[in-house]
Amino acid sequence: MTENAQQQPPAPATDLPTQYAPADVEGALYERWVERGYFAADAKSDKPAYTIVIPPPNVTGSLHLGHAFQHTLMDALTRRKRMQGYESLWLPGMDHAGIATQNKVEQQLAEEGKSRHDLGREEFVERVWQWKEEYGGKILGQMRRLGDGVDWDRERFTMDEGLSKAVQTIFKRLYDDELIYRAERIINWCPRCLTAISDIEVEHQEDAGELVSIRYGEGDDSLVVATTRAETMLGDTAVAVHPDDERYKHLIGKLIKLPLTDRSIPVVADTHVDPEFGTGAVKVTPAHDPNDFAIGQRHDLPSMTIMDEHGVITVHGPFLGQDRFEARSAVVGALRSQGRIVAEKRPYTHSVGHCSRCKTTVEPRLSMQWWVKVGPLAKEAGDAVRDGRVKIHPEDMSKRYFDWVDNMYDWCISRQLWWGHRIPVWYGPDGETVCVGPDEQPPGTEAEGWTQDTDVLDTWFSSGLWPFSTLGWPERTEDLRKFYSTDVLLTGHDIIFFWVARMMMFGLYAMDGEVPFKTIALTGLVRDERGKKMSKSFGNVVDPLDWMDKYGSDALRFTLARGANPGTDVPIGEDWVQASRNFANKIWNATRFALMNGATVQGPLPEASKLSATDRWILARLNETVAQVDAYYEDFQFAKLSDALFHFAWDEVFDWYVELSKTTFQAGGEPAEVSKRVLGEVLDVTLRLLHPVVPFVTDTLWTTLTGGESLVIADWPKAVSVPGADAPGGFRDDAAEREIELVQQVVTEVRRFRADQGLQPGQRVPARLTLDGTALAPHEAAIRQLLRLQPEGEGFSATATLPVAGAEVALDLSGVIDVAAERKRLAKDLAAAEKEKAQATAKLGNEAFLAKAPDQVVDKIRGRLAKADEDIARIAAQLDRLPQA
């Protein structure tokens, strides 16, 4: 028991309501935790640091099940470490979410009949800040509902002053080190949002289009290419074939006529072309396809941009001014009229990229953008994992990480938006380019011909600095010295590339080789109870707030943690949350019962010699559970630790120890006082173990049980020691465990027999227990109470006898069941099982049937045979136990 638990005597049990109502507890309890500063971390503390930074949710976002899942696990880790004596910092914050937030405000303006251009850049950005203050950060309040134990005093925003300085500083350093450059490359372009977008902002879906095969050239000097984007042929500058393809060797190096234009284009040989796919010839449009751009670079081909940023055709008279989709149909029509269409396939379903924000079809586009040269940075990020400075958990996820960092291509970091970190580069009147650091002045004014780059940085650029910028970098702050490197990055495996790898690159670069986190703990994704991805289109998206309102935050948290196997997707359904609510109620009711019966944490544990076998058993099981939970936490096995706690608390403490102790409590005397103290100890430790995952109900119960201030600041439990029975690693008692296992066998077997005979659980039956000479003898009163067995009494007749665990339980069922009717029912069931067995055996013995039947049908019949055998054995045993009618 800790000093915290000794501050005052326990409150009376009547302080606990008869039923647990989460809504009456959670909100007020959370605010009390925050007001008392339990989650605030002290950089001056001499305690060892433990740090987790939260993956910053978008300022536009709200809590979804994926957030609730990861936040539950991060909260569990930090709560446990705080209880273990660490200066535990879980740092919260939000991402400015450039394109998402700009879209929100532009939608507002559209409702007013305005666009951002009506306001101008400065006024528009001010409008976005106003929106952020009024509507942004909704998710922060929802995090409080979930119970997130974050240090709210350290909340950060990727556009706040300190993080803006960090962004400008690292941009300047990378630029000076020639790791940032400006170049024309192919990017994902959204014609609606009018910006480059990252790969993660592109959603691929199967769209119905058409595949057209077009003949280029004439006669023997012709070939056929196929495309789903016929309009882009207007920008073709070559046709590519494989150098070893015999069909086209005579054409390599020749010029062929490009249909619908007055241009001729070369046939080039490139090993990128798959001669087995389609016709083995591909059109090359370097300005509108990333693969074609690479071919163009290798063969020094010109790049022709044929549409503007809105997706409108800008070349070739007949199609000039047409939207890209309108032009697609027009081009196919024109080719058809010239007899150039060799084949058409429609509908042709293929994967098409769409902007995740506005759902517009994304256009690959050649564009002048800013880039990070990732080669040297990515190598460092790979080496940090290879040499063991950073561990990836589960380890088999390392391959996915290396697949990204070992094959990264340069990163486009510029966005054509107004909301975000503006690129700190100025252009002069004579073509000068100057990058300006945070403490430097621009090289000149607009009046002097100097202008700042109009683009902003990709949101992932600033979030890539998150582990150190949030702690005060580039200043060498107390926070940075104390809490960096962070200990664990817990995040989904789906953003290894987009966020994890970029934090690794920037952290190692900015912090002189010091890793941003010591462990990357990767989780799966939350899915519905059938394992299906949650999607609005599927109609299976769940608002976690609805489940928290209905069942309590603890119930949602426990359900999520209990499904959290490392790196594996997590199915979740409402029935499971309801079951977790029942578990919270069970904890509440069992603790309330224990308090009403005098369970206490006052004073030391009694001497071993005073403990009953039941007491020794539960203390041994408690210590085994403490060891299991600790080992599972260190291995990020949240599902296993939650399951271990569930079965220990519900099965062993509540269903066995409490029930076995009832007769002791009723008898009174010293044994009862000993068991009350043992029960108090067991509940104290169990509530501590459960607290990181289910914080609300456990804190409420623990403070009532112990009189302590709060579980949030209580000590994490260690193995319990018993006076007079000290052992390395805490008390153990194998003999007591074996003894109680025998009791459990007797109770379980007799309960099964009673259920087979159709007896109600509370129905009392006269019985004679022959326990002399066995370890069961001291437990007769408890066994009788658990099984509702009356003393045998006058006229007792042993109509059924059960030998079990070396003992014998004789039951008098006369007057309790109709033996003749029961025998008749069982005989009917036995005949049905034997008939099922005969039919299955006959089919499996029929060679002709086995030769024709599918494997799954044969397997099903084998299963029927096995089930029939089980039923026959079970029913025969029941008949043997019944007296003769």
Side-chain angles (χ1 to χ4, degrees):
M1 187 175 58
T2 65
E3 291 181 5
N4 182 25
Q6 294 177 330
Q7 292 177 3
Q8 59 189 65
T14 50
D15 281 2
L16 285 178
T18 55
Q19 293 185 341
Y20 178 50
D24 295 341
V25 170
E26 293 177 350
L29 182 55
Y30 184 85
E31 292 308 317
R32 186 154 66 247
W33 291 337
V34 173
E35 288 166 8
R36 292 178 177 179
Y38 293 158
F39 305 136
D42 182 3
K44 295 183 173 66
S45 166
D46 58 3
K47 296 178 183 178
Y50 183 83
T51 315
I52 293 181
V53 290
I54 204 166
N58 286 354
V59 67
T60 60
S62 59
L63 190 76
H64 58 63
L65 276 175
H67 290 130
F69 170 55
Q70 292 181 356
H71 287 206
T72 293
L73 305 188
M74 286 184 278
D75 195 32
L77 290 172
T78 50
R79 283 177 183 270
R80 173 174 174 261
K81 285 295 183 180
R82 187 179 293 112
M83 294 173 75
Q84 286 182 313
Y86 287 78
E87 197 62 39
S88 190
L89 170 61
W90 186 19
L91 195 149
M94 293 183 298
D95 191 285
H96 65 279
I99 192 169
T101 309
Q102 178 158 320
N103 278 347
K104 287 279 189 185
V105 178
E106 287 196 85
Q107 288 167 11
Q108 274 191 346
L109 290 173
E111 292 170 4
E112 301 169 14
K114 299 178 183 176
S115 75
R116 60 181 162 126
H117 299 285
D118 294 324
L119 273 65
R121 183 166 192 147
E122 187 174 334
E123 188 177 342
F124 176 78
V125 170
E126 179 58 34
R127 179 75 175 257
V128 180
W129 277 107
Q130 291 172 8
W131 181 94
K132 184 259 182 186
E133 294 304 316
E134 187 172 355
Y135 301 105
K138 174 183 176 183
I139 192 171
L140 298 178
Q142 296 167 339
M143 287 163 54
R144 301 171 91 93
R145 279 289 315 276
L146 188 65
D148 283 8
V150 297
D151 187 344
W152 290 110
D153 292 338
R154 283 183 168 83
E155 179 193 335
R156 302 306 299 268
F157 180 56
T158 51
M159 288 277 286
D160 68 28
E161 184 178 351
L163 269 64
S164 294
K165 181 177 182 180
V167 168
Q168 198 170 350
T169 299
I170 201 164
F171 187 100
K172 170 71 170 173
R173 291 187 187 179
L174 289 165
Y175 181 86
D176 290 346
D177 288 343
E178 299 183 349
L179 292 172
I180 282 182
Y181 64 95
R182 194 169 185 239
E184 203 172 35
R185 300 277 182 83
I186 291 281
I187 45 87
N188 301 308
W189 180 265
C190 176
R192 153 61 182 79
C193 298
L194 298 179
T195 181
I197 59 176
S198 67
D199 290 342
I200 199 172
E201 293 165 321
V202 178
E203 293 179 348
H204 289 272
Q205 65 186 48
E206 296 295 310
D207 285 0
E210 63 175 341
L211 180 69
V212 293
S213 298
I214 310 166
R215 182 175 298 281
Y216 286 18
E218 306 293 342
D220 292 339
D221 290 348
S222 68
L223 39 66
V224 175
V225 300
T227 182
T228 58
R229 304 171 67 222
E231 74 283 3
T232 63
M233 67 160 291
L234 301 173
D236 286 359
T237 56
V239 173
V241 298
H242 194 278
D244 299 330
D245 193 332
E246 294 293 337
R247 294 171 295 175
Y248 304 120
K249 276 195 171 181
H250 68 288
L251 288 176
I252 294 172
K254 288 188 176 181
L255 294 175
I256 60 171
K257 184 73 186 313
L258 178 64
L260 305 183
T261 74
D262 58 0
R263 293 189 292 117
S264 293
I265 58 177
V267 177
V268 299
D270 197 285
T271 54
H272 170 77
V273 179
D274 180 1
E276 303 297 323
F277 184 77
T279 63
V282 297
K283 59 191 288 298
V284 182
T285 321
H288 294 278
D289 183 276
N291 293 323
D292 293 2
F293 179 79
I295 293 174
Q297 293 286 95
R298 288 193 289 272
H299 298 276
D300 198 25
L301 299 173
S303 296
M304 286 187 60
T305 299
I306 62 155
M307 62 182 80
D308 64 15
E309 64 270 23
H310 298 278
V312 173
I313 302 298
T314 57
V315 299
H316 202 72
F319 311 106
L320 183 65
Q322 292 184 351
D323 174 80
R324 54 187 167 151
F325 300 117
E326 180 186 6
R328 183 173 300 170
S329 297
V331 166
V332 171
L335 290 167
R336 190 184 297 114
S337 68
Q338 292 185 6
R340 291 283 176 181
I341 301 295
V342 175
E344 296 181 68
K345 183 177 181 181
R346 69 167 70 88
Y348 178 74
T349 303
H350 60 127
S351 180
V352 177
H354 295 259
C355 174
S356 62
R357 305 299 175 190
C358 67
K359 310 309 176 187
T360 301
T361 299
V362 169
E363 190 66 40
R365 174 179 169 82
L366 185 64
S367 180
M368 182 67 75
Q369 302 285 346
W370 285 94
W371 303 82
V372 172
K373 187 185 296 182
V374 300
L377 301 172
K379 182 183 182 302
E380 290 294 322
D383 289 346
V385 174
R386 287 190 170 95
D387 63 25
R389 282 177 288 159
V390 177
K391 304 289 186 185
I392 292 181
H393 188 86
E395 191 176 350
D396 58 11
M397 285 283 178
S398 298
K399 181 181 182 303
R400 185 177 298 192
Y401 175 79
F402 291 130
D403 284 345
W404 280 117
V405 298
D406 293 346
N407 300 286
M408 284 181 72
Y409 45 86
D410 286 0
W411 169 22
C412 176
I413 56 171
S414 47
R415 298 291 181 266
Q416 290 64 56
L417 302 170
W418 287 356
W419 171 246
H421 294 282
R422 194 163 175 183
I423 289 175
V425 171
W426 269 256
Y427 305 109
D430 300 317
E432 303 97 328
T433 300
V434 178
C435 181
V436 176
D439 300 319
E440 299 172 349
Q441 293 297 317
T445 64
E446 285 191 20
E448 296 168 330
W450 287 88
T451 58
Q452 186 177 359
D453 195 298
T454 57
D455 288 353
V456 300
L457 288 163
D458 179 10
T459 298
W460 295 100
F461 189 94
S462 51
S463 62
L465 315 182
W466 191 250
F468 53 93
S469 64
T470 52
L471 296 172
W473 188 90
E475 308 303 327
R476 194 67 184 176
T477 62
E478 284 187 334
D479 277 359
L480 197 64
R481 285 192 293 269
K482 177 74 174 180
F483 296 112
Y484 190 90
S485 298
T486 68
D487 288 86
V488 178
L489 172 70
L490 191 143
T491 191
H493 61 65
D494 56 323
I495 57 171
I496 289 177
F497 170 63
F498 301 108
W499 191 46
V500 178
R502 291 170 182 179
M503 284 190 290
M504 285 284 282
M505 292 191 300
F506 281 167
L508 290 161
Y509 175 80
M511 297 297 294
D512 301 319
E514 195 175 355
V515 297
F517 22 75
K518 302 176 184 75
T519 300
I520 302 168
L522 296 171
T523 70
L525 310 178
V526 179
R527 297 183 178 272
D528 71 13
E529 63 267 34
R530 297 178 182 84
K532 193 173 183 180
K533 180 182 178 181
M534 288 191 174
S535 165
K536 290 180 181 178
S537 61
F538 296 154
N540 62 350
V541 173
V542 174
D543 185 344
L545 294 171
D546 291 342
W547 280 351
M548 286 192 280
D549 288 342
K550 196 170 182 180
Y551 303 112
S553 299
D554 283 334
L556 177 64
R557 289 169 62 113
F558 192 71
T559 305
L560 291 165
R562 205 172 177 193
N565 291 298
T568 303
D569 288 350
V570 183
I572 185 172
E574 186 168 2
D575 288 350
W576 306 340
V577 184
Q578 185 174 357
S580 295
R581 187 273 313 273
N582 295 343
F583 179 50
N585 288 343
K586 183 77 171 180
I587 301 169
W588 182 273
N589 293 333
T591 305
R592 188 172 184 275
F593 169 84
L595 287 166
M596 291 174 66
N597 283 274
T600 180
V601 297
Q602 300 305 302
L605 277 174
E607 294 280 339
S609 60
K610 295 181 179 181
L611 301 178
S612 68
T614 308
D615 296 330
R616 297 196 305 275
W617 164 75
I618 196 62
L619 290 173
R621 291 298 308 129
L622 176 67
N623 281 347
E624 177 63 25
T625 302
V626 170
Q628 278 186 332
V629 169
D630 278 333
Y632 288 144
Y633 262 116
E634 296 307 313
D635 199 33
F636 303 99
Q637 297 282 357
F638 295 98
K640 289 182 179 179
L641 72 89
S642 299
D643 212 46
L645 285 169
F646 174 87
H647 288 295
F648 175 70
W650 192 309
D651 299 345
E652 296 184 302
V653 179
F654 305 147
D655 279 358
W656 283 109
Y657 182 71
V658 169
E659 293 300 320
L660 287 169
S661 299
K662 282 181 178 178
T663 53
T664 306
F665 294 156
Q666 290 165 2
E670 186 178 14
E673 296 307 311
V674 168
S675 290
K676 290 174 185 178
R677 179 64 189 89
V678 170
L679 179 54
E681 187 75 15
V682 170
L683 287 174
D684 177 11
V685 173
T686 302
L687 292 170
R688 292 173 196 259
L689 291 172
L690 282 164
H691 175 73
V693 179
V694 283
F696 293 106
V697 67
T698 52
D699 195 50
T700 304
L701 293 172
W702 185 84
T703 52
T704 303
L705 171 70
T706 68
E709 182 181 343
S710 174
L711 260 181
V712 180
I713 55 171
D715 290 340
W716 181 251
K718 297 178 181 177
V720 173
S721 294
V722 174
D726 287 337
F731 176 76
R732 292 286 190 277
D733 195 324
D734 294 341
E737 292 197 56
R738 288 193 297 271
E739 185 172 320
I740 301 305
E741 283 174 10
L742 294 176
V743 175
Q744 292 171 326
Q745 284 180 35
V746 171
V747 173
T748 301
E749 188 64 24
V750 176
R751 278 177 173 167
R752 185 181 296 117
F753 175 77
R754 287 176 56 111
D756 287 343
Q757 308 313 313
L759 296 177
Q760 294 300 314
Q763 192 170 358
R764 296 196 169 273
V765 178
R768 179 174 63 241
L769 275 60
T770 306
L771 308 177
D772 293 345
T774 73
L776 296 165
H779 304 283
E780 179 170 351
I783 292 171
R784 283 186 176 277
Q785 180 158 313
L786 286 169
L787 291 171
R788 304 295 190 267
L789 301 180
Q790 297 176 184
E792 48 194 289
E794 189 177 343
F796 176 83
S797 174
T799 57
T801 302
L802 287 75
V804 56
E808 187 176 271
V809 179
L811 304 173
D812 183 356
L813 301 179
S814 57
V816 179
I817 63 171
D818 185 336
V819 176
E822 187 64 16
R823 278 191 165 278
K824 185 176 179 180
R825 182 184 70 81
L826 290 172
K828 184 179 178 182
D829 290 348
L830 182 61
E834 288 172 339
K835 181 180 178 181
E836 175 74 2
K837 177 179 180 177
Q839 290 175 342
T841 302
K843 283 192 174 182
L844 293 174
N846 185 335
E847 295 296 335
F849 169 78
L850 293 176
K852 294 180 181 179
D855 290 344
Q856 62 266 33
V857 173
V858 176
D859 289 343
K860 186 175 181 181
I861 293 170
R862 287 191 180 119
R864 284 170 49 192
L865 177 59
K867 175 70 165 53
D869 281 334
E870 290 174 8
D871 289 344
I872 290 168
R874 176 179 55 80
I875 297 167
Q878 289 176 243
L879 282 166
D880 286 343
R881 289 170 178 167
L882 280 176
Q884 295 299 318

